[in-house]
Amino acid sequence: MRNRTLRALATAVPAAALLLTACGGGSGDDDGVVELRYAFWGSDERAQMTQDMIDTFEAENPGIRVEIDYADFGAYFDRLATSVASGDAPDIMTMGGAYHSEYAGRGALLDLAQVGDVIRTDEIPDDLLAHGTFDEALYAIPTGVVGYAMVANPAVFDQAGLELPDDTAWTWDDFAGLCTEIGTALGDDGYGAQDLTNHNTLSLWARQHGEELYTDDGEVGVSAGTLTDWWDFATGLRDSGCTPSATLSEELASMAAPEQTLIGTNKAGMSLVWSNALEALSTASGEQLELLIPPGESEGEHGMWLGPSMYYTISSGSDHPEEAARLIDFMLNEPAAAEAFLTDRGLPVNPSVREAITDQLTPVQQAEAEYIGRLENALGAPGSPDPVGSTETADIVTRLNSEVLFDRTSPEDAAEQMISEVGTAISQ
């Protein structure tokens, strides 16, 4: 549904751009107060955190009033595409993945150089800022930083009579053996891991094999052979009892809530996740989960990277871009904002702000921070920003993975089909 809406947006935005300039996302009251709309996805809990931050911002900026506009992730981008196409875009829009490239490429986002004197970026690492660029211009600024991680449940390891691995040296073969041992020990009570296949894992696998999911030119960069090797590996995990049957894996693929996952219900020893999921998964499981560096980093090339958890962007049609920029600057660079968010939007992207709130983090959040600190000393080369059209990659991978796990498509055919379908999506 999100992809269909985005394709509709491709034709709607050029005409809507005129409306955006005329209408804008915010307005001004008769009393001279500027009104802004800030849109994001998330739960009621995130909304309350955001409102707490806004209350502090408004107290320091009495001439600005901010209205929040949020929805759950599944509905957010559909709603956003509709509002942008109709000329009613929020002033500040949260983006994820490659959506900022999609919207920037269609003229819906402000080139942030226009408010460069308002938003301070001098303390944000260039590698992270590069993720928010499109056609050599900065349109999106990361809200926070996250890392890909293998989350492990020590209680499940204990149940299986096993110890956690040394994540500074383990290989994918080590993972497969350990995962199978857990699955065998648990029997009908669980698995070694939830199925690992998604576009993030394929990116990691490709980078560890000297390739990239996408090239600097915005084309598919991973080879059919590398993808085939992954799906051969994944079906081996399924057959060994490390990961669930195809039927259960397909069910789990549509259930993303922490309390629905195998790791969150204490029915798996491991799972690949983004580091900022640790607290929600720990809460769901009731256990003290741990973040491990994924397998394969000790052999061949480093594949790990630090990535933005999400992005702040400004509508190109906002009537109040400078005021919108002031709010973004506040969220990025002021400890008072970070005190409201803590790690909810990833660890603060500004290292000084991150350090300022460390003492306020829960033990789980401090574990996230420690993991990011470990990764900063063991990263591969910076990756290229995801190209326009790559928002379809996740759905393509999920669908093809299901075909492979059900043995309806061979790993070789799935690899060729993925390269073809993703190539078509990013070439439009």
Side-chain angles (χ1 to χ4, degrees), residues 319-362:
D319 289 333
H320 306 289
E322 290 200 7
E323 287 82 0
R326 284 167 63 183
L327 177 57
I328 289 177
D329 178 76
F330 182 81
M331 292 190 288
L332 289 172
N333 298 308
E334 294 299 329
E339 288 169 3
F341 295 148
L342 295 179
T343 64
D344 182 69
R345 287 163 168 81
L347 282 166
V349 73
N350 182 329
S352 297
V353 174
R354 191 186 313 169
E355 184 177 353
I357 66 165
T358 298
D359 292 343
Q360 300 179 47
L361 300 180
T362 66

mmCIF file of all heavy atoms in Angstrom, residues 319-362:
data_model
loop_
_atom_site.group_PDB
_atom_site.id
_atom_site.type_symbol
_atom_site.label_atom_id
_atom_site.label_comp_id
_atom_site.label_asym_id
_atom_site.label_seq_id
_atom_site.Cartn_x
_atom_site.Cartn_y
_atom_site.Cartn_z
ATOM 1 N N ASP A 319 5.438 27.671 5.224
ATOM 2 C CA ASP A 319 5.431 29.126 5.320
ATOM 3 C C ASP A 319 6.454 29.634 6.333
ATOM 4 O O ASP A 319 6.769 30.819 6.359
ATOM 5 C CB ASP A 319 4.036 29.627 5.740
ATOM 6 C CG ASP A 319 3.019 29.468 4.624
ATOM 7 O OD1 ASP A 319 3.432 29.472 3.445
ATOM 8 O OD2 ASP A 319 1.820 29.333 4.938
ATOM 9 N N HIS A 320 6.962 28.713 7.171
ATOM 10 C CA HIS A 320 7.841 29.128 8.270
ATOM 11 C C HIS A 320 9.066 28.217 8.369
ATOM 12 O O HIS A 320 9.269 27.543 9.383
ATOM 13 C CB HIS A 320 7.058 29.114 9.588
ATOM 14 C CG HIS A 320 5.803 29.916 9.551
ATOM 15 N ND1 HIS A 320 5.786 31.298 9.511
ATOM 16 C CD2 HIS A 320 4.497 29.523 9.513
ATOM 17 C CE1 HIS A 320 4.535 31.721 9.470
ATOM 18 N NE2 HIS A 320 3.735 30.668 9.469
ATOM 19 N N PRO A 321 9.894 28.179 7.323
ATOM 20 C CA PRO A 321 11.039 27.271 7.347
ATOM 21 C C PRO A 321 12.044 27.589 8.454
ATOM 22 O O PRO A 321 12.647 26.673 9.012
ATOM 23 C CB PRO A 321 11.659 27.443 5.956
ATOM 24 C CG PRO A 321 11.168 28.776 5.480
ATOM 25 C CD PRO A 321 9.803 28.928 6.063
ATOM 26 N N GLU A 322 12.230 28.858 8.785
ATOM 27 C CA GLU A 322 13.207 29.192 9.823
ATOM 28 C C GLU A 322 12.731 28.737 11.198
ATOM 29 O O GLU A 322 13.510 28.231 12.008
ATOM 30 C CB GLU A 322 13.498 30.691 9.821
ATOM 31 C CG GLU A 322 14.281 31.142 8.591
ATOM 32 C CD GLU A 322 14.979 32.470 8.819
ATOM 33 O OE1 GLU A 322 14.972 32.981 9.956
ATOM 34 O OE2 GLU A 322 15.548 32.992 7.843
ATOM 35 N N GLU A 323 11.443 28.897 11.464
ATOM 36 C CA GLU A 323 10.915 28.438 12.747
ATOM 37 C C GLU A 323 10.962 26.907 12.819
ATOM 38 O O GLU A 323 11.264 26.340 13.875
ATOM 39 C CB GLU A 323 9.490 28.938 12.947
ATOM 40 C CG GLU A 323 9.381 30.429 13.261
ATOM 41 C CD GLU A 323 9.445 31.312 12.012
ATOM 42 O OE1 GLU A 323 9.582 30.767 10.890
ATOM 43 O OE2 GLU A 323 9.360 32.534 12.161
ATOM 44 N N ALA A 324 10.662 26.249 11.691
ATOM 45 C CA ALA A 324 10.762 24.789 11.649
ATOM 46 C C ALA A 324 12.208 24.351 11.901
ATOM 47 O O ALA A 324 12.463 23.377 12.615
ATOM 48 C CB ALA A 324 10.280 24.260 10.302
ATOM 49 N N ALA A 325 13.145 25.090 11.321
ATOM 50 C CA ALA A 325 14.563 24.784 11.513
ATOM 51 C C ALA A 325 14.967 24.976 12.974
ATOM 52 O O ALA A 325 15.801 24.228 13.502
ATOM 53 C CB ALA A 325 15.417 25.658 10.608
ATOM 54 N N ARG A 326 14.376 25.957 13.642
ATOM 55 C CA ARG A 326 14.688 26.174 15.061
ATOM 56 C C ARG A 326 14.259 24.980 15.904
ATOM 57 O O ARG A 326 14.950 24.587 16.843
ATOM 58 C CB ARG A 326 14.025 27.462 15.555
ATOM 59 C CG ARG A 326 14.759 28.720 15.084
ATOM 60 C CD ARG A 326 13.945 29.974 15.312
ATOM 61 N NE ARG A 326 13.662 30.237 16.723
ATOM 62 C CZ ARG A 326 12.921 31.253 17.151
ATOM 63 N NH1 ARG A 326 12.386 32.104 16.255
ATOM 64 N NH2 ARG A 326 12.729 31.445 18.439
ATOM 65 N N LEU A 327 13.106 24.405 15.567
ATOM 66 C CA LEU A 327 12.663 23.222 16.300
ATOM 67 C C LEU A 327 13.607 22.044 16.039
ATOM 68 O O LEU A 327 13.989 21.317 16.964
ATOM 69 C CB LEU A 327 11.237 22.850 15.909
ATOM 70 C CG LEU A 327 10.677 21.575 16.565
ATOM 71 C CD1 LEU A 327 10.714 21.668 18.092
ATOM 72 C CD2 LEU A 327 9.267 21.285 16.075
ATOM 73 N N ILE A 328 14.010 21.832 14.780
ATOM 74 C CA ILE A 328 14.926 20.748 14.465
ATOM 75 C C ILE A 328 16.267 20.949 15.174
ATOM 76 O O ILE A 328 16.834 20.017 15.742
ATOM 77 C CB ILE A 328 15.118 20.628 12.941
ATOM 78 C CG1 ILE A 328 13.834 20.088 12.292
ATOM 79 C CG2 ILE A 328 16.300 19.715 12.606
ATOM 80 C CD1 ILE A 328 13.888 19.987 10.787
ATOM 81 N N ASP A 329 16.767 22.176 15.162
ATOM 82 C CA ASP A 329 18.022 22.468 15.850
ATOM 83 C C ASP A 329 17.908 22.143 17.338
ATOM 84 O O ASP A 329 18.824 21.573 17.936
ATOM 85 C CB ASP A 329 18.400 23.933 15.651
ATOM 86 C CG ASP A 329 19.672 24.302 16.394
ATOM 87 O OD1 ASP A 329 20.770 23.935 15.913
ATOM 88 O OD2 ASP A 329 19.573 24.927 17.466
ATOM 89 N N PHE A 330 16.777 22.484 17.919
ATOM 90 C CA PHE A 330 16.537 22.200 19.337
ATOM 91 C C PHE A 330 16.560 20.696 19.591
ATOM 92 O O PHE A 330 17.194 20.218 20.544
ATOM 93 C CB PHE A 330 15.193 22.805 19.754
ATOM 94 C CG PHE A 330 14.854 22.620 21.206
ATOM 95 C CD1 PHE A 330 15.383 23.458 22.172
ATOM 96 C CD2 PHE A 330 13.983 21.620 21.605
ATOM 97 C CE1 PHE A 330 15.072 23.298 23.524
ATOM 98 C CE2 PHE A 330 13.649 21.446 22.947
ATOM 99 C CZ PHE A 330 14.198 22.298 23.907
ATOM 100 N N MET A 331 15.895 19.924 18.735
ATOM 101 C CA MET A 331 15.825 18.482 18.923
ATOM 102 C C MET A 331 17.185 17.820 18.735
ATOM 103 O O MET A 331 17.494 16.818 19.375
ATOM 104 C CB MET A 331 14.788 17.868 17.975
ATOM 105 C CG MET A 331 13.356 18.264 18.313
ATOM 106 S SD MET A 331 12.090 17.350 17.395
ATOM 107 C CE MET A 331 12.260 18.036 15.747
ATOM 108 N N LEU A 332 18.018 18.388 17.881
ATOM 109 C CA LEU A 332 19.332 17.809 17.613
ATOM 110 C C LEU A 332 20.378 18.171 18.652
ATOM 111 O O LEU A 332 21.216 17.338 19.020
ATOM 112 C CB LEU A 332 19.846 18.287 16.245
ATOM 113 C CG LEU A 332 19.165 17.748 14.995
ATOM 114 C CD1 LEU A 332 19.689 18.502 13.774
ATOM 115 C CD2 LEU A 332 19.415 16.257 14.839
ATOM 116 N N ASN A 333 20.349 19.411 19.113
ATOM 117 C CA ASN A 333 21.503 19.970 19.807
ATOM 118 C C ASN A 333 21.287 20.388 21.251
ATOM 119 O O ASN A 333 22.245 20.827 21.903
ATOM 120 C CB ASN A 333 22.032 21.181 19.016
ATOM 121 C CG ASN A 333 22.515 20.783 17.633
ATOM 122 O OD1 ASN A 333 23.313 19.874 17.497
ATOM 123 N ND2 ASN A 333 22.005 21.464 16.607
ATOM 124 N N GLU A 334 20.084 20.279 21.764
ATOM 125 C CA GLU A 334 19.838 20.706 23.133
ATOM 126 C C GLU A 334 19.595 19.498 24.045
ATOM 127 O O GLU A 334 18.709 18.681 23.783
ATOM 128 C CB GLU A 334 18.627 21.642 23.190
ATOM 129 C CG GLU A 334 18.851 22.974 22.484
ATOM 130 C CD GLU A 334 19.995 23.772 23.083
ATOM 131 O OE1 GLU A 334 20.228 23.655 24.310
ATOM 132 O OE2 GLU A 334 20.669 24.505 22.333
ATOM 133 N N PRO A 335 20.371 19.366 25.113
ATOM 134 C CA PRO A 335 20.156 18.264 26.057
ATOM 135 C C PRO A 335 18.730 18.196 26.591
ATOM 136 O O PRO A 335 18.229 17.106 26.885
ATOM 137 C CB PRO A 335 21.162 18.562 27.176
ATOM 138 C CG PRO A 335 22.270 19.316 26.491
ATOM 139 C CD PRO A 335 21.565 20.168 25.461
ATOM 140 N N ALA A 336 18.062 19.350 26.694
ATOM 141 C CA ALA A 336 16.681 19.344 27.200
ATOM 142 C C ALA A 336 15.767 18.512 26.312
ATOM 143 O O ALA A 336 14.841 17.843 26.799
ATOM 144 C CB ALA A 336 16.162 20.780 27.294
ATOM 145 N N ALA A 337 15.995 18.544 25.001
ATOM 146 C CA ALA A 337 15.205 17.715 24.092
ATOM 147 C C ALA A 337 15.575 16.246 24.246
ATOM 148 O O ALA A 337 14.713 15.363 24.299
ATOM 149 C CB ALA A 337 15.418 18.166 22.655
ATOM 150 N N ALA A 338 16.869 15.984 24.336
ATOM 151 C CA ALA A 338 17.329 14.602 24.475
ATOM 152 C C ALA A 338 16.853 13.977 25.780
ATOM 153 O O ALA A 338 16.630 12.768 25.855
ATOM 154 C CB ALA A 338 18.847 14.560 24.393
ATOM 155 N N GLU A 339 16.675 14.781 26.805
ATOM 156 C CA GLU A 339 16.172 14.265 28.077
ATOM 157 C C GLU A 339 14.743 13.746 27.946
ATOM 158 O O GLU A 339 14.331 12.846 28.678
ATOM 159 C CB GLU A 339 16.241 15.359 29.143
ATOM 160 C CG GLU A 339 17.667 15.669 29.590
ATOM 161 C CD GLU A 339 17.765 16.924 30.433
ATOM 162 O OE1 GLU A 339 16.694 17.523 30.720
ATOM 163 O OE2 GLU A 339 18.883 17.307 30.795
ATOM 164 N N ALA A 340 13.993 14.319 27.016
ATOM 165 C CA ALA A 340 12.634 13.836 26.775
ATOM 166 C C ALA A 340 12.648 12.553 25.946
ATOM 167 O O ALA A 340 11.885 11.620 26.203
ATOM 168 C CB ALA A 340 11.811 14.910 26.060
ATOM 169 N N PHE A 341 13.555 12.501 24.919
ATOM 170 C CA PHE A 341 13.578 11.361 24.000
ATOM 171 C C PHE A 341 14.432 10.202 24.511
ATOM 172 O O PHE A 341 14.140 9.035 24.242
ATOM 173 C CB PHE A 341 14.145 11.788 22.639
ATOM 174 C CG PHE A 341 13.309 12.782 21.895
ATOM 175 C CD1 PHE A 341 13.907 13.727 21.067
ATOM 176 C CD2 PHE A 341 11.934 12.785 22.003
ATOM 177 C CE1 PHE A 341 13.152 14.649 20.363
ATOM 178 C CE2 PHE A 341 11.157 13.697 21.305
ATOM 179 C CZ PHE A 341 11.773 14.635 20.482
ATOM 180 N N LEU A 342 15.539 10.530 25.187
ATOM 181 C CA LEU A 342 16.560 9.545 25.552
ATOM 182 C C LEU A 342 16.965 8.757 24.301
ATOM 183 O O LEU A 342 17.472 9.340 23.367
ATOM 184 C CB LEU A 342 16.067 8.666 26.696
ATOM 185 C CG LEU A 342 15.834 9.418 28.019
ATOM 186 C CD1 LEU A 342 15.308 8.468 29.098
ATOM 187 C CD2 LEU A 342 17.104 10.114 28.499
ATOM 188 N N THR A 343 16.701 7.453 24.235
ATOM 189 C CA THR A 343 17.132 6.694 23.052
ATOM 190 C C THR A 343 15.974 6.334 22.125
ATOM 191 O O THR A 343 16.135 5.518 21.220
ATOM 192 C CB THR A 343 17.838 5.389 23.484
ATOM 193 O OG1 THR A 343 16.897 4.543 24.164
ATOM 194 C CG2 THR A 343 19.012 5.688 24.406
ATOM 195 N N ASP A 344 14.807 6.928 22.336
ATOM 196 C CA ASP A 344 13.626 6.540 21.562
ATOM 197 C C ASP A 344 13.807 6.766 20.066
ATOM 198 O O ASP A 344 13.276 6.014 19.255
ATOM 199 C CB ASP A 344 12.398 7.318 22.048
ATOM 200 C CG ASP A 344 11.136 6.921 21.300
ATOM 201 O OD1 ASP A 344 10.690 5.778 21.502
ATOM 202 O OD2 ASP A 344 10.627 7.741 20.515
ATOM 203 N N ARG A 345 14.532 7.791 19.680
ATOM 204 C CA ARG A 345 14.813 8.064 18.271
ATOM 205 C C ARG A 345 16.258 7.699 17.924
ATOM 206 O O ARG A 345 16.871 8.275 17.045
ATOM 207 C CB ARG A 345 14.535 9.536 17.952
ATOM 208 C CG ARG A 345 13.033 9.873 17.910
ATOM 209 C CD ARG A 345 12.801 11.369 18.005
ATOM 210 N NE ARG A 345 11.433 11.755 17.696
ATOM 211 C CZ ARG A 345 10.411 11.688 18.549
ATOM 212 N NH1 ARG A 345 10.602 11.219 19.768
ATOM 213 N NH2 ARG A 345 9.205 12.078 18.185
ATOM 214 N N GLY A 346 16.779 6.717 18.623
ATOM 215 C CA GLY A 346 18.177 6.357 18.495
ATOM 216 C C GLY A 346 18.995 7.183 19.475
ATOM 217 O O GLY A 346 18.511 8.155 20.039
ATOM 218 N N LEU A 347 20.246 6.785 19.690
ATOM 219 C CA LEU A 347 21.115 7.597 20.529
ATOM 220 C C LEU A 347 21.323 8.943 19.858
ATOM 221 O O LEU A 347 21.458 9.014 18.627
ATOM 222 C CB LEU A 347 22.464 6.898 20.716
ATOM 223 C CG LEU A 347 22.464 5.760 21.723
ATOM 224 C CD1 LEU A 347 23.733 4.946 21.579
ATOM 225 C CD2 LEU A 347 22.343 6.292 23.143
ATOM 226 N N PRO A 348 21.324 10.041 20.621
ATOM 227 C CA PRO A 348 21.472 11.365 20.001
ATOM 228 C C PRO A 348 22.626 11.404 19.006
ATOM 229 O O PRO A 348 23.724 10.910 19.274
ATOM 230 C CB PRO A 348 21.734 12.281 21.198
ATOM 231 C CG PRO A 348 21.014 11.609 22.325
ATOM 232 C CD PRO A 348 21.193 10.136 22.085
ATOM 233 N N VAL A 349 22.368 11.987 17.851
ATOM 234 C CA VAL A 349 23.362 12.004 16.782
ATOM 235 C C VAL A 349 24.495 12.974 17.092
ATOM 236 O O VAL A 349 25.594 12.844 16.551
ATOM 237 C CB VAL A 349 22.669 12.337 15.441
ATOM 238 C CG1 VAL A 349 22.266 13.788 15.377
ATOM 239 C CG2 VAL A 349 23.540 11.965 14.258
ATOM 240 N N ASN A 350 24.236 13.934 17.959
ATOM 241 C CA ASN A 350 25.268 14.865 18.412
ATOM 242 C C ASN A 350 26.001 14.224 19.598
ATOM 243 O O ASN A 350 25.409 14.010 20.653
ATOM 244 C CB ASN A 350 24.625 16.187 18.834
ATOM 245 C CG ASN A 350 25.636 17.225 19.285
ATOM 246 O OD1 ASN A 350 26.679 16.895 19.820
ATOM 247 N ND2 ASN A 350 25.318 18.496 19.078
ATOM 248 N N PRO A 351 27.295 13.888 19.454
ATOM 249 C CA PRO A 351 28.013 13.199 20.537
ATOM 250 C C PRO A 351 28.013 13.962 21.855
ATOM 251 O O PRO A 351 27.967 13.348 22.931
ATOM 252 C CB PRO A 351 29.435 13.065 19.982
ATOM 253 C CG PRO A 351 29.271 13.111 18.496
ATOM 254 C CD PRO A 351 28.133 14.062 18.256
ATOM 255 N N SER A 352 28.044 15.293 21.806
ATOM 256 C CA SER A 352 28.040 16.082 23.042
ATOM 257 C C SER A 352 26.718 15.918 23.784
ATOM 258 O O SER A 352 26.695 15.809 25.020
ATOM 259 C CB SER A 352 28.291 17.556 22.728
ATOM 260 O OG SER A 352 29.565 17.745 22.154
ATOM 261 N N VAL A 353 25.630 15.919 23.050
ATOM 262 C CA VAL A 353 24.318 15.724 23.660
ATOM 263 C C VAL A 353 24.203 14.308 24.208
ATOM 264 O O VAL A 353 23.658 14.074 25.293
ATOM 265 C CB VAL A 353 23.206 16.017 22.637
ATOM 266 C CG1 VAL A 353 21.833 15.675 23.218
ATOM 267 C CG2 VAL A 353 23.252 17.467 22.197
ATOM 268 N N ARG A 354 24.726 13.351 23.459
ATOM 269 C CA ARG A 354 24.711 11.950 23.907
ATOM 270 C C ARG A 354 25.413 11.814 25.256
ATOM 271 O O ARG A 354 24.919 11.162 26.170
ATOM 272 C CB ARG A 354 25.402 11.075 22.862
ATOM 273 C CG ARG A 354 25.238 9.579 23.064
ATOM 274 C CD ARG A 354 26.072 8.791 22.070
ATOM 275 N NE ARG A 354 25.927 9.278 20.712
ATOM 276 C CZ ARG A 354 26.707 8.893 19.705
ATOM 277 N NH1 ARG A 354 27.692 8.036 19.916
ATOM 278 N NH2 ARG A 354 26.510 9.369 18.490
ATOM 279 N N GLU A 355 26.562 12.455 25.366
ATOM 280 C CA GLU A 355 27.321 12.388 26.612
ATOM 281 C C GLU A 355 26.568 13.066 27.760
ATOM 282 O O GLU A 355 26.600 12.597 28.902
ATOM 283 C CB GLU A 355 28.684 13.051 26.418
ATOM 284 C CG GLU A 355 29.598 12.967 27.625
ATOM 285 C CD GLU A 355 30.963 13.568 27.372
ATOM 286 O OE1 GLU A 355 31.251 13.927 26.209
ATOM 287 O OE2 GLU A 355 31.747 13.685 28.337
ATOM 288 N N ALA A 356 25.844 14.138 27.429
ATOM 289 C CA ALA A 356 25.154 14.910 28.471
ATOM 290 C C ALA A 356 24.023 14.121 29.123
ATOM 291 O O ALA A 356 23.666 14.383 30.276
ATOM 292 C CB ALA A 356 24.623 16.214 27.885
ATOM 293 N N ILE A 357 23.436 13.162 28.413
ATOM 294 C CA ILE A 357 22.293 12.427 28.965
ATOM 295 C C ILE A 357 22.650 11.021 29.438
ATOM 296 O O ILE A 357 21.775 10.289 29.904
ATOM 297 C CB ILE A 357 21.142 12.335 27.948
ATOM 298 C CG1 ILE A 357 21.542 11.478 26.747
ATOM 299 C CG2 ILE A 357 20.676 13.717 27.518
ATOM 300 C CD1 ILE A 357 20.385 11.045 25.889
ATOM 301 N N THR A 358 23.909 10.633 29.310
ATOM 302 C CA THR A 358 24.306 9.255 29.635
ATOM 303 C C THR A 358 23.858 8.845 31.026
ATOM 304 O O THR A 358 23.349 7.728 31.244
ATOM 305 C CB THR A 358 25.828 9.090 29.506
ATOM 306 O OG1 THR A 358 26.208 9.336 28.148
ATOM 307 C CG2 THR A 358 26.252 7.680 29.895
ATOM 308 N N ASP A 359 24.013 9.727 32.006
ATOM 309 C CA ASP A 359 23.669 9.378 33.388
ATOM 310 C C ASP A 359 22.174 9.170 33.587
ATOM 311 O O ASP A 359 21.760 8.588 34.602
ATOM 312 C CB ASP A 359 24.160 10.466 34.348
ATOM 313 C CG ASP A 359 25.684 10.517 34.437
ATOM 314 O OD1 ASP A 359 26.323 9.529 34.016
ATOM 315 O OD2 ASP A 359 26.218 11.535 34.894
ATOM 316 N N GLN A 360 21.357 9.658 32.654
ATOM 317 C CA GLN A 360 19.907 9.533 32.790
ATOM 318 C C GLN A 360 19.357 8.278 32.112
ATOM 319 O O GLN A 360 18.163 7.997 32.216
ATOM 320 C CB GLN A 360 19.224 10.774 32.205
ATOM 321 C CG GLN A 360 19.645 12.071 32.888
ATOM 322 C CD GLN A 360 18.975 13.269 32.257
ATOM 323 O OE1 GLN A 360 17.769 13.269 32.017
ATOM 324 N NE2 GLN A 360 19.750 14.298 31.970
ATOM 325 N N LEU A 361 20.213 7.565 31.405
ATOM 326 C CA LEU A 361 19.757 6.388 30.684
ATOM 327 C C LEU A 361 19.519 5.222 31.640
ATOM 328 O O LEU A 361 20.213 5.056 32.636
ATOM 329 C CB LEU A 361 20.790 5.974 29.631
ATOM 330 C CG LEU A 361 21.127 7.010 28.552
ATOM 331 C CD1 LEU A 361 22.169 6.442 27.590
ATOM 332 C CD2 LEU A 361 19.873 7.437 27.792
ATOM 333 N N THR A 362 18.531 4.410 31.311
ATOM 334 C CA THR A 362 18.293 3.182 32.054
ATOM 335 C C THR A 362 19.444 2.210 31.775
ATOM 336 O O THR A 362 20.210 2.392 30.825
ATOM 337 C CB THR A 362 16.980 2.534 31.618
ATOM 338 O OG1 THR A 362 17.115 2.092 30.248
ATOM 339 C CG2 THR A 362 15.815 3.502 31.729
#
